[in-house]
Every structure is written in C-alpha cells, then in structure tokens.
Amino acid sequence: QVKIRMNELQKIKKFVDEISRYQEKILAKSLDGEYCVNAKSILGLFSLDLEQPIVIEFEDNARIEGFLQPYKA
C-alpha cells in the first residue's frame, strides 16, 4: 500500500491511463479508509477527496510500486 497525492486534473488523467495497463486489481482508498474505489476508474477517483492523500492498494508488484513513485505523498 502506498500513499499518493493527485490534485491536478492532468495528473489524475495520466494516472488512470497508465494504471489501467496493469491487469492486477488496484484499489484507491480515502486516507481514513471509509471509501474504496477501483483505482482504474476516473469517476471513482473523483468520488474521493483528492485534496487529501489517497492510499493505493495492490498485490505485491514491484512494477506498480515503481510506477507510483512520482505520485507519492
């Protein structure tokens, strides 16, 4: 699990475009864990409070962790 911050429209769009290439199940959660959405869904991401960091959960995969580096909070 990795905390990331995405508060710009272009950054969110790029994130969804790139994360959608992975076949693994990837979830995005609010920092308090109350809300959980598919991280590959732009509408799902917009339902979260993007002014706060969000938590990305995925199966242990070094490729995904490397992809998330520029977004880390």
Side-chain angles (χ1 to χ4, degrees):
Q1 119 181 23
V2 176
K3 282 186 200 174
I4 66 169
R5 183 177 293 275
M6 294 186 300
N7 52 6
E8 298 173 13
L9 180 61
Q10 291 302 325
K11 200 172 186 180
I12 296 166
K13 186 176 185 290
K14 181 179 178 187
F15 174 86
V16 171
D17 287 345
E18 292 181 5
I19 204 80
S20 294
R21 296 179 188 158
Y22 296 96
Q23 293 181 351
E24 294 87 345
K25 182 177 180 180
I26 304 170
L27 301 174
K29 293 185 173 185
S30 57
L31 203 51
D32 62 7
E34 186 173 345
Y35 300 100
C36 178
V37 299
N38 181 347
K40 300 175 187 180
S41 165
I42 197 163
L43 290 176
L45 289 175
F46 277 121
S47 71
L48 300 175
D49 179 4
L50 297 176
E51 292 298 317
Q52 300 295 322
I54 59 174
V55 177
I56 302 296
E57 288 189 355
F58 51 92
E59 294 179 15
D60 190 26
N61 186 320
R63 292 180 312 135
I64 295 172
E65 181 124 17
F67 159 76
L68 293 173
Q69 285 292 41
Y71 298 96
K72 281 194 174 180

